[in-house]
Amino acid sequence: MRKIAKGVAALALVCSSAASAEGGYWGATVGLMDIDQRNVDSPLNVGLRGGYTLPSGWGFEAEYTNSLISGEADVFDGDVDVDIQTLAGYGTYRSYGDLYFKGRLGLLYEDVSVGRFSEDDTGISLGAGVGFNYSPNTNVELEYTMIEEDVGFWSGTVTLNF
């Protein structure tokens, strides 16, 4: 848990400095952590995202998510809660236009809790999606991000550009 707190503090520091420059953005994301396991219901995660996009379309972003509504796993002694917490840094690319495509690749730390048991892991994460420039300062993005081999994050994000 201490690692997550330090990571969130670093995320806030990096993204605050990036968001103060033109091309910077902050946003909120919500989505389903789709767990590809038998007898496991997926948790609903919410999070914060911040980053910076260069005029070329390349950029970086950081994202933190945590389970708002726990999933459930059917185990031998009954149902237990399933929660997933993530902290990630990505390199990104957004195409040009009001309707655009987005790709991202980066490093992700995750903490998965199933009942009383918890396990964390670090690895490569990648994602793709589409976005829409709703106004000059507001974007809406729909994405799929591979968290690990059997966990994907289907999300919707609203970002405010500065």
Side-chain angles (χ1 to χ4, degrees), residues 22 24 98 132-139 159-162:
E22 184 158 340
D98 286 337
F132 176 69
N133 291 326
Y134 185 73
S135 74
N137 294 333
T138 307
N139 293 12
T159 60
L160 302 174
N161 304 309
F162 300 96

Side-chain angles (χ1 to χ4, degrees), residues 141-155:
E141 296 177 344
L142 301 174
E143 296 177 68
Y144 174 79
T145 303
M146 186 181 80
I147 303 300
E148 63 177 53
E149 188 176 323
D150 56 355
V151 179
F153 185 43
W154 295 95
S155 64

Side-chain angles (χ1 to χ4, degrees), residues 26-112:
W26 273 105
T29 187
V30 63
L32 191 65
M33 284 288 178
D34 186 20
I35 302 172
D36 188 21
Q37 293 288 327
R38 184 178 225 161
N39 299 324
V40 177
D41 293 331
S42 302
L44 179 71
N45 276 37
V46 296
L48 295 174
R49 180 183 293 178
Y52 185 81
T53 303
L54 298 166
S56 64
W58 292 98
F60 66 89
E61 70 184 16
E63 179 179 82
Y64 169 77
T65 70
N66 198 357
S67 296
L68 177 67
I69 300 173
S70 298
E72 284 189 353
D74 185 17
V75 295
F76 301 113
D77 55 350
D79 290 341
V80 295
D81 288 343
V82 176
D83 295 304
I84 300 177
Q85 187 175 27
T86 65
L87 179 65
Y90 295 101
T92 62
Y93 179 76
R94 287 175 174 82
S95 64
Y96 294 103
D98 286 337
L99 181 63
Y100 58 90
F101 296 98
K102 176 186 175 189
R104 63 186 191 165
L105 174 67
L107 187 62
L108 176 125
Y109 169 80
E110 65 175 316
D111 184 17
V112 179

